Amino acid sequence: MVRHTPCLLTAVLLTVAWAGTSMAGTGQAASDRAPADRVAQGIADEALRALVEEALERNPGLRAGFAKARAAAQEAPQVASLPDPTAEATAFLAPPETRVGAQRLMLGYSQPLPWLAKLDLREEAAVHGAVALEHGVQAERLRLVTEVRRLYHELAFLDRSRETAETFLEHLVQHEEVAQARYATGVGSTQAVLKLQAEITRAERALVDLDLAEAALRARLNSLRDRPAATPVARGSLLVAIEEAALESGNLAALARSSRPELRAAEAGLARAEAMEDLARMADKPDFSVGVTYTLVTPRDDEAARLLAPAGNGNDVFGVRGGITLPLRRRSRAAAVQEALDLRSHAVDERRSAELAVESEVGDLNQRLPLAWRRLRLLEDLLVVQAEEALESAEAGYIAGSLNTLDLFDAEHVLFEAQTATDRARADYLIGLAELEGAVGRPLAATDRGGTDR
């Protein structure tokens, strides 16, 4: 058996690997950890890292996936073992008489012996199948890390949006009170009062919408960590000073190809299909069986035997037996080979599809992130600054009497929209970085770190 020992060793190592991949932060070197654990350990925000690690530990989908993979790892030692032997016993109700006596009982023991290379191939296919499942679970873990980070940044954006909206609402209420007072003295207009009241109602509705969105995000995040939907979630502030990540498309693509579990799962799936093809082609190899027999013989006691006892009278009989299968069903074997060929073709296409998906994901994020950074810089460095200057000018004009309450409201509304858009751009950029780390399968510089909070 050429491949039997390496495959068995692989199965043992695979089984041991589950304990290591299910625990983060056990002191392993970064290169030895699973991609999800590497990304999680690269998160500088302690609250976010704690949420990620809790989700990796408690997520029921991951636990189910690991249980399935562990079960699959137990298939290899089963298919690599010889079939169970057969013990037989035959009691003769009408014992056949022979020259040396009557045969009373026959015992037999036989052992099937498949063509040994078949056992190797079955074990190899089982090991590759278990490896594919394990890498599939690792891919789910990596996606879980990215999703938790996305939800965390979305919640931070909602918190920041609520602060901005509440400040804007306070200003609206103040302006409405001033407009009411001016109208009462005959200076202001009814239009200003009505418009400000309508804007106050819109702002209050926006706050309710933010609460609804937060409840949905919190429920989703709690489901990922197996908690009740209303369980409080640790929150962080939306980073203001964000460093631009240095992106190199070629290097990132190479990192993704070496790290993504989906690609390793596809490779293992292809290896399994190849082993199954080789096994199908060996269907014309015969299987054997060997065994021994023992027959209990009682000595003759008839008068002829008493007068002249035959040689070996009453001696028991020992024998050996052997058998061989006759692979005559050519049509069945041809169908099995064709099935294996189609499955191998499917595995080849699956591997290529996984490669294209990874390359497309990395390439798309690598192109979109610089554009997201430019948008953030335009909003933060230009639009917000311009809106603040416009508001200062409107306040000066309002104090001087050249502008009315609605003019001041319009300037404040522009600033509110600019601040909200900027915060959205910050959250989108942080989410994009998290998605890129998930696409590459390892942490990048300046993600979830290096910023200051509002």
Side-chain angles (χ1 to χ4, degrees), residues 147-165:
E147 179 65 5
V148 170
R149 297 172 73 185
R150 183 188 72 82
L151 294 171
Y152 182 84
H153 292 312
E154 289 287 0
L155 286 170
F157 165 71
L158 291 182
D159 289 342
R160 179 58 191 157
S161 296
R162 184 179 292 103
E163 294 175 7
T164 305

Side-chain angles (χ1 to χ4, degrees), residues 37-311:
D37 296 323
R38 288 201 299 263
V39 173
Q41 291 301 310
I43 299 174
D45 187 330
E46 293 183 2
L48 175 54
R49 187 169 66 249
L51 279 175
V52 167
E53 292 176 350
E54 182 184 19
L56 289 175
E57 180 182 357
R58 294 177 54 88
N59 185 267
L62 292 182
R63 292 201 302 268
F66 274 120
K68 184 177 181 180
R70 286 196 304 269
Q74 303 306 315
E75 182 182 356
Q78 298 178 57
V79 298
S81 301
L82 289 173
D84 290 332
T86 301
E88 300 175 343
T90 303
F92 297 104
L93 299 180
E97 294 288 346
T98 67
R99 182 182 63 85
V100 295
Q103 296 182 353
R104 300 290 180 178
L105 177 68
M106 184 169 65
L107 302 177
Y109 177 91
S110 62
Q111 171 65 61
L113 294 174
W115 195 274
L116 294 186
K118 294 180 181 179
L119 296 180
D120 294 337
L121 290 171
R122 289 169 185 162
E123 181 186 25
E124 184 177 349
V127 169
H128 287 308
V131 170
L133 284 176
E134 194 270 343
H135 286 307
V137 179
Q138 293 298 342
E140 289 298 324
R141 296 178 81 238
L142 189 57
R143 282 190 285 270
L144 178 63
V145 171
T146 301
E147 179 65 5
V148 170
R149 297 172 73 185
R150 183 188 72 82
L151 294 171
Y152 182 84
H153 292 312
E154 289 287 0
L155 286 170
F157 165 71
L158 291 182
D159 289 342
R160 179 58 191 157
S161 296
R162 184 179 292 103
E163 294 175 7
T164 305
E166 288 174 348
T167 301
F168 182 56
L169 178 59
E170 290 176 3
H171 291 177
L172 286 177
V173 172
Q174 294 172 4
H175 293 326
E176 193 267 343
E177 291 174 353
V178 173
Q180 288 274 21
R182 290 168 64 90
Y183 175 71
T185 60
V187 178
S189 65
T190 307
Q191 179 186 5
V193 175
L194 294 177
K195 183 174 182 179
L196 286 170
Q197 289 175 345
E199 290 297 331
I200 289 173
T201 302
R202 288 181 57 188
E204 291 174 342
R205 188 192 65 184
L207 287 173
V208 173
D209 292 340
L210 290 174
D211 291 337
L212 291 173
E214 178 189 348
L217 291 175
R218 185 173 62 246
R220 169 61 179 161
L221 184 53
N222 281 325
S223 71
L224 296 180
R225 59 191 188 126
D226 195 16
R227 300 285 188 185
T231 302
V233 176
R235 309 285 268 271
S237 300
L238 189 64
L239 295 180
V240 175
I242 302 175
E243 299 179 13
E244 182 180 13
L247 307 178
E248 299 179 11
S249 58
N251 186 40
L252 292 179
L255 289 175
R257 284 192 293 269
S258 65
S259 299
R260 286 290 289 271
E262 294 92 335
L263 300 183
R264 298 182 182 182
E267 288 289 347
L270 177 57
R272 180 184 184 277
E274 291 173 343
M276 295 301 294
E277 179 187 352
D278 292 341
L279 181 61
R281 293 186 183 280
M282 297 189 68
D284 58 350
K285 302 294 184 181
D287 296 332
F288 305 92
S289 65
V290 295
V292 295
T293 60
Y294 164 75
T295 304
L296 175 65
V297 179
T298 57
R300 290 175 55 185
D301 59 355
D302 59 284
E303 187 169 349
R306 288 194 297 269
L307 292 175
L308 182 60

